[in-house]
Amino acid sequence: MNIKSLRNMLILVVVIAAALGACLPDQKPAEDTSAAIETAVAATLAAEEGSLPDTAAPVPSPTWTIHPTVTASPPEPDILFRGVSFSYDPSLAEDINPAVLEAIDDEGGPWWSTPETVSFTFNGYALPDAFLDARIHVYNVAEFAEINPTVGERLATLRQVLDAGDVNDDRISMADLFNAAQFVRTKVAFVDFQNGSGVRFLSQYGQAYSAVGWPHLFYGFQGLTEDGQYFISVIMPVNHPSLPHPDTVVIDEAFAENFLTYVAEKETSLQAQPDDSFQPSLILLDQLVASLLVESP
């Protein structure tokens, strides 16, 4: 029997019952059963259509917390210092230490020279004992390029990368230099913040062969304000449960000979992992970046 026929039959039953009740004046008034009948009709139709709600509770993840996606409107800032503000999930750190780092003029050459830097260090970070500190640095682009021409060239390249918007661009790297080579780049995505844009990626640098993962793997973000005046560099150590502990990886001649293949396999594997399966969640780190507002450091 189809839905329409069933509905018509039930309505007919209701009408007949009402008519019979009207024909028995000597009896006491019966209780109003229309609500109960309507409920029964609705339940019957729902069952026929297969639309009864599923009351089974979802099974929670046993290991990783699922975090919300990046919100369109950043929340009120948790930190405001020297014209830089942002918000962050309390699970990322116990507190933030804002500071102004003095300019470094490397007399032996411009390689390590940096201008005055607005710095935010994340104390009690979610991933302990990493090789790099969790931090945000904000630099004046013109001052950085003047004191360190190499970084100036890299910032010009960053502008080109952001304009191109190609996640496969092999020029994506950390513009503020490392005394090491980049050998991991994966999970590349372009992220806008409140008054600028940038690119985030997972990366690892080294001077020798090493296992991919903790304590060296990190979330990097390189961004520029819309007016091009300020450069934002973010480093947040990360790890993934699929990566083995470095002590279990044998670094020998065979590892060295197959290193490029090993790294490529790890990059592909990490690329396939959900953003919220990392420690800490890449979604939380993207939210932090999206909340940045850099006005006048």
Side-chain angles (χ1 to χ4, degrees), residues 68-80:
T69 56
V70 177
T71 55
S73 301
E76 290 297 317
D78 298 310
I79 299 295
L80 174 59

Side-chain angles (χ1 to χ4, degrees), residues 103-114 147:
I104 299 176
D105 187 0
D106 188 350
E107 297 179 355
W111 185 261
W112 298 115
S113 297
T114 57
I147 198 172

Side-chain angles (χ1 to χ4, degrees), residues 147-161:
I147 198 172
N148 193 323
T150 301
V151 170
E153 294 173 2
R154 289 181 174 232
L155 293 179
T157 298
L158 174 61
R159 179 72 275 166
Q160 296 171 6
V161 168

Side-chain angles (χ1 to χ4, degrees), residues 145-202:
E146 181 180 0
I147 198 172
N148 193 323
T150 301
V151 170
E153 294 173 2
R154 289 181 174 232
L155 293 179
T157 298
L158 174 61
R159 179 72 275 166
Q160 296 171 6
V161 168
L162 297 182
D163 290 342
D166 181 6
V167 295
N168 296 313
D169 196 322
D170 60 9
R171 297 173 298 173
I172 295 173
S173 63
M174 301 297 291
D176 41 347
L177 299 175
F178 281 72
N179 186 23
Q182 182 189 54
F183 62 83
V184 172
R185 183 178 63 246
T186 189
K187 297 295 281 185
V188 179
F190 292 89
V191 180
D192 293 336
F193 56 97
Q194 291 197 64
N195 64 327
S197 61
V199 58
R200 65 93 148 150
F201 51 98
L202 302 190

Side-chain angles (χ1 to χ4, degrees), residues 179-296:
N179 186 23
Q182 182 189 54
F183 62 83
V184 172
R185 183 178 63 246
T186 189
K187 297 295 281 185
V188 179
F190 292 89
V191 180
D192 293 336
F193 56 97
Q194 291 197 64
N195 64 327
S197 61
V199 58
R200 65 93 148 150
F201 51 98
L202 302 190
S203 191
Q204 188 165 322
Y205 283 66
Q207 296 178 326
Y209 302 115
S210 62
V212 174
W214 179 88
H216 298 288
L217 186 68
F218 66 91
Y219 168 110
F221 175 80
Q222 303 283 274
L224 295 169
T225 54
E226 294 170 347
D227 57 15
Q229 291 190 44
Y230 299 104
F231 163 50
I232 299 90
S233 178
V234 178
I235 289 178
M236 298 286 165
V238 296
N239 197 23
H240 194 271
S242 66
L243 297 172
H245 192 281
D247 291 346
T248 65
V249 179
V250 178
I251 309 297
D252 55 11
E253 185 175 344
F255 181 86
E257 291 176 353
N258 295 283
F259 187 66
L260 294 180
T261 301
Y262 162 78
V263 168
E265 290 174 349
K266 294 302 181 185
E267 287 179 331
T268 300
S269 175
L270 292 175
Q271 179 66 38
Q273 303 302 327
D275 285 356
D276 57 12
S277 65
F278 288 81
Q279 181 189 11
S281 166
L282 303 189
I283 293 177
L284 291 185
L285 298 179
D286 283 347
Q287 285 179 332
L288 184 158
V289 166
S291 73
L292 278 163
L293 180 63
V294 181
E295 296 182 298
S296 56

